[in-house]
Amino acid sequence: MPVRRPRAALIAGLLASTTAAGLLTAIPADAVVGPATKDGSYAFTAKLDIGGERSCSGALVESQWLLTAASCFADKPGSSDGPSGAPKLKTVATIGRTDLTRDGGSVVKVVDLVPSMGRDLIMAKLEYPVTGITPVELGSKTPLPGEDVFVSGYGRTKDEWVPDRLHYAKFSVDAVQNGTVNISGKANDAAVCEGDTGAPTFRDIGGRYELVGINTRSWQGGCFGHEDETRKGAVDTRVDNVAGWIQSVSSASVLPRADWKNAAYMTSGYFTDHSMTTKRRTDLFVAWKDGSASIFQGADHNLPQYPFSAEYKVAPAGSYWKDARAVAAGNFTGSGTDGITVRWANGKLSTYTHVDQNGFHDEKTLGAVGSYWKGARLIAVGRYTENSLRDDMFVVWDDDSTTLYSDLGTNGIGKQSQLEKGWAGAMQISSGEFNGDRTADLLVRWSDGSATLFSALSPTGYRDRTRIRPLDSAWKNVQNLTVGSFSGDSGAPFSDVLIRWAPGPLSYYPGVSTAGTTRPEVQLVG
């Protein structure tokens, strides 16, 4: 029983076996009987317009993915067998717009559907990632009877057929089964209405929101058009025990691309707002050979084979990035986010003090066009010196000498210290923490296939030099190398090493230390 134009609701019998008259079946969703939300609240809640025929609610679980009810897209009303692939009807999601009459948030087309087997859940992929909206976290705890939760949606209220604002209400968990959660309103007028199918049910943990379930069925007592119905309970599909499936779907489509052999330069850092969460998995910046550039957002989950959750195109093909000759990320302002230093083909050295999903900000020129920086063959940025307020930069020059620049700021390159020569065989360099002393160490991959860690780098040299890969190892086939936190093990004292191999595949070594690559390599692509 599709709902036209009004955002269709959390609809269906309270139980699968309940088909009594007066219950709507498999109707997409809109709003909750409860107060209107304040502007900007519960911005992860989405409104889905399905071909102008149905409306459902949903939850942003990753920047490019919504989770909603499969029954919203089912051909047969009441069915939870959602289709896969592109939606049959044009589907548009509005996210982060508390008041639908205003601008703000994002309006994005849904381009792909991935249904869950055996549950009324479906993942909806957006045409592009949304920015400025924090996805709801996936809860890992089993809901408990008596627990307080909230529901937010765009469906009917008790006196509005098509409300213009997102509404919410407080509910209590009544019963928990393997795949479902029964809830009922804490207030007498709290109810889930038509237009709320797919709406998120979540915990509020001091302003941090954890997804508990996705609304799928409701009695709709107290909703506009159902004044004679007294029952107000609703049924959600649980998400805590399928969190792995949700995470794998949202992440699996990010890395598998055929052109990784066309990655010219890679560097990792904390660029996106998503990477500023407590888990702080690093993002990856890639400059491609065609001059385009991408940021791969670090995923906020514990699936090691899926370290990234979204790709943001931050420069088109043919852009100035085709002229990059060395790239390194670091903290140049003393803040918690990173920027990128670039040595260009014309000899210019510049720093973007901040880089994010929207591009490159606040460029500072550290070396003019035609300057001696044209001879900088490799650069790496890290907190090598303990007392620096910002990161330092290590440079390998065309004459195979090396230099350390301490405290690389936005107004200059800091103190210069000449170090040793004889670096002709250095092919890639990157900095990370490999010995647990909380300052950056330097990783070097040599042309003979070996790899070396230089620890305690300072203006007077380095304290230790440890070979972690032998001569003629497989690392002679490394084409790009960068260091960061890709495994999601943010509490580990050692960095991970991400590698792009010569044929194109991507992989990383978790927790590399002066003991070497002791943990199994994680294959990502190819």
Side-chain angles (χ1 to χ4, degrees), residues 7-8 29-31 41-49 55-62 65-69 72 91-98 100 106-108 110 124 126 130 133 136 152-155 166 195-200 202 214:
R7 295 144 234 124
D30 272 316
S41 297
Y42 314 134
F44 52 81
T45 309
K47 173 193 177 294
L48 290 166
D49 184 331
S55 293
C56 279
S57 297
L60 187 72
V61 292
E62 285 288 359
W65 287 90
L66 300 175
L67 182 65
T68 186
C72 293
T91 302
V92 177
T94 302
I95 311 145
R97 187 174 293 179
T98 308
L100 296 174
S106 297
V107 180
V108 190
V110 173
L126 304 175
V130 299
I133 302 172
V136 64
S152 58
Y154 288 94
L166 178 68
D196 293 322
T197 300
F202 53 92
I214 291 294

Side-chain angles (χ1 to χ4, degrees), residues 432-439 441 484 489-496 511-513 519:
E433 295 182 8
F434 302 111
N435 64 2
D437 66 1
R438 312 307 296 176
T439 58
D441 309 303
D489 188 8
S490 60
F494 307 124
S495 299
D496 309 320
V512 176
S513 70
R519 293 163 65 184

Side-chain angles (χ1 to χ4, degrees), residues 234-247:
V235 177
D236 288 356
T237 298
R238 280 179 63 181
V239 301
D240 61 285
N241 52 3
V242 290
W245 170 76
I246 296 169
Q247 293 167 345

Side-chain angles (χ1 to χ4, degrees), residues 185-403:
K186 294 284 285 186
N188 290 334
D189 62 349
V192 176
C193 299
E194 186 170 351
D196 293 322
T197 300
T201 296
F202 53 92
R203 302 180 179 97
D204 183 345
I205 307 173
R208 181 175 63 83
Y209 305 114
E210 277 189 357
L211 190 64
V212 173
I214 291 294
N215 288 176
T216 52
R217 292 170 291 178
S218 170
W219 290 102
Q220 300 185 76
C223 300
F224 188 63
H226 296 272
E227 290 80 5
D228 295 335
E229 176 59 64
T230 60
R231 294 167 293 184
K232 299 180 180 180
V235 177
D236 288 356
T237 298
R238 280 179 63 181
V239 301
D240 61 285
N241 52 3
V242 290
W245 170 76
I246 296 169
Q247 293 167 345
S248 64
V249 170
S250 63
S251 299
S253 62
V254 177
L255 282 176
R257 50 188 293 165
D259 59 352
W260 277 97
K261 63 181 180 294
N262 294 318
Y265 301 98
M266 303 192 312
T267 188
S268 69
Y270 296 113
F271 307 122
T272 66
D273 50 8
H274 189 79
S275 68
M276 295 308 297
T277 63
T278 55
K279 294 186 179 180
R280 290 183 65 85
R281 192 182 298 216
T282 44
D283 308 315
L284 178 69
F285 171 80
V286 181
W288 305 95
K289 292 179 181 178
D290 65 0
S292 62
S294 303
I295 288 178
F296 291 86
Q297 179 174 277
D300 190 13
H301 56 61
N302 293 317
L303 299 176
Q305 69 272 39
Y306 301 123
F308 307 110
S309 61
E311 178 185 2
Y312 296 92
K313 297 288 189 180
V314 290
S319 80
Y320 52 86
W321 281 99
K322 68 181 185 298
D323 297 320
R325 293 297 180 268
V327 178
N331 191 328
F332 308 118
T333 62
S335 68
T337 58
D338 290 332
I340 291 177
T341 292
V342 189
R343 197 275 286 176
W344 305 100
N346 61 9
K348 180 181 177 181
L349 182 75
S350 58
T351 290
Y352 298 96
T353 59
H354 178 61
V355 178
D356 60 20
Q357 302 100 312
N358 300 311
F360 312 92
H361 309 283
D362 195 20
E363 181 182 7
K364 304 291 185 181
T365 299
L366 303 183
V369 172
S371 70
Y372 62 88
W373 284 100
K374 195 169 185 178
R377 184 165 64 87
L378 302 171
I379 60 175
V381 173
R383 193 66 56 85
Y384 304 120
T385 55
E386 292 185 12
N387 296 322
S388 65
L389 297 175
R390 295 169 289 267
D391 282 349
D392 314 306
M393 183 169 65
F394 182 86
V395 180
V396 179
W397 302 92
D398 282 342
D399 65 359
D400 303 323
S401 64
T402 58
T403 305

